[in-house]
Amino acid sequence: MAVSSAVLVLRALGIGDLLTAVPALRALRAAYPDDRLVLAAPEGLRDLVELIDAVDELLPTAGLGDLDWPGPPPKLAVNLHGSGPESLHDLLATDPAEVLTHQHPDFPDVPGLAWRDDLHEVDRWCRLAECAHGEADRSALRLPVPPGPSPAPDAVVVHPGAAFPARRWPPERFASVIAALAAAGHRVVLTGSPGERDLALAIAGRAGLGEDAVLAGRTGLAELAALVAGAALVVCGDTGVGHLATAFGTPSVLLFGPTPPRLWGPPPSARQHVVLWAGNVGDPHGEEPDGGLLLLGKERVLAATRSALEMRVVHG
């Protein structure tokens, strides 16, 4: 059996998932400097993947069950996807010479790390990557500025949506904060997916902004990345946009609800990010706004945005 000199890494998830795996990808690159590192991830993330110096090639993979490895068996298959059996099954189907994964009872003959729920997402995958005889720098989250121009340079970027209602701060509170920032002379733009455009339009209208302030549904990933990289400040919940702010070093105010920031937040050493969390832990996939998230009042969030903007002026 011919084995290719490729390291295949599975991480077929979203923006935040990709960005929290960057330090692990860099550790794998360092451990296998002479091999081709292929990342199996959604095609829609290509513009971000191309900014990651550790990745040689993107293998478009929409999700679990969609991995289609085209060549000889890879030298190493790395499961950066999750703890379930489906991701390990997908990788084993490529017949790799070696597998790097967490343990799963469905595959008792495949060695791996024990899964831990108490780890930060960055640390989880760095620990796994370190099993490849390398050392992972958990702070290596930064990406270069995207090549394209920002659609709204130096604006305050507000991203009111989130994947699940449990992580969405109330629209009327976002509107109050936006109105106050606009009254103070800041340009504010709202981002979101095409499905979140109506939400963004409603918030903008309530805040007294025109439709031109709503970029939701009008930016691809490359433009969104350039927008965040060139922003004065990002205000959002526990979302991929928050991880973009971390990746580009853009100041942010992050509203955490059901998930503790110690599991998904920016590094504590990155002082330009202000994390607000009431201390409650809940279901991040819930169908109602999390009770802890609702404890974050609009005055507290507005004060955090003002403080972040003032720090940016002072420190540049």
Side-chain angles (χ1 to χ4, degrees):
M1 177 185 70
V3 176
S4 75
S5 62
V7 173
L8 170 62
V9 181
L10 177 62
R11 186 76 167 162
L13 295 162
I15 293 173
D17 305 286
L18 171 65
L19 295 175
T20 53
V22 167
L25 290 168
R26 286 174 167 154
L28 289 168
R29 169 83 287 160
Y32 295 90
D34 300 322
D35 298 300
R36 186 168 52 104
L37 195 148
V38 180
L39 176 64
E43 171 65 30
L45 296 180
R46 181 175 293 277
D47 290 320
L48 275 184
V49 173
E50 290 179 349
L51 297 176
I52 303 173
D53 51 4
V55 178
D56 296 308
E57 180 183 338
L58 172 67
L59 177 63
T61 306
L64 294 175
D66 290 312
L67 178 61
D68 185 13
W69 179 249
K75 175 179 181 176
L76 173 68
V78 185
N79 186 1
L80 294 189
H81 190 91
S83 62
E86 299 92 344
S87 52
L88 186 50
H89 177 272
D90 285 357
L91 287 172
L92 291 175
T94 69
D95 200 20
E98 187 181 354
V99 180
L100 190 58
T101 185
H102 287 88
Q103 297 170 347
H104 196 279
D106 285 6
F107 299 92
D109 296 329
V110 178
L113 280 181
W115 182 269
R116 287 176 52 183
D117 289 323
D118 62 332
L119 295 177
H120 190 285
E121 191 72 0
V122 172
D123 188 36
R124 179 190 319 287
W125 304 116
C126 283
R127 288 178 73 248
L128 185 64
E130 286 172 338
C131 294
H133 313 295
E135 195 164 322
D137 179 0
R138 285 146 176 79
S139 66
L141 292 158
R142 293 289 292 270
L143 294 181
V145 173
S150 168
D154 213 34
V156 175
V157 175
V158 177
H159 187 85
F164 294 91
R167 288 180 255 161
R168 295 177 200 152
W169 203 49
E172 64 275 10
R173 299 190 193 181
F174 270 119
S176 294
V177 170
I178 290 169
L181 289 170
H186 299 286
R187 181 184 181 186
V188 183
V189 296
L190 291 87
T191 58
S193 66
E196 294 168 335
R197 182 164 175 80
D198 286 345
L199 169 66
L201 284 168
I203 292 172
R206 185 165 185 154
L209 300 185
E211 187 174 341
D212 60 332
V214 179
L215 301 182
R218 293 168 47 199
T219 57
L221 182 54
E223 289 177 299
L224 177 63
L227 174 68
V228 170
L233 178 69
V234 170
V235 183
C236 65
D238 176 15
T239 69
V241 171
H243 292 286
L244 283 174
T246 297
F248 298 125
T250 303
S252 67
V253 173
L254 305 173
L255 284 56
F256 273 74
T259 302
R262 64 179 175 80
L263 299 181
W264 277 93
S269 59
R271 303 297 295 273
Q272 71 269 40
H273 306 296
V274 179
V275 178
L276 302 180
W277 183 54
N280 297 38
V281 177
D283 177 11
H285 306 112
E287 291 301 316
E288 298 291 336
D290 178 73
L293 187 60
L294 295 178
L295 290 175
L296 301 178
K298 60 187 180 184
E299 291 302 327
R300 181 179 176 187
V301 174
L302 183 57
T305 64
R306 288 171 173 156
S307 174
L309 287 165
E310 287 169 4
M311 275 198 339
R312 179 175 179 268
V313 170
V314 170
H315 298 290

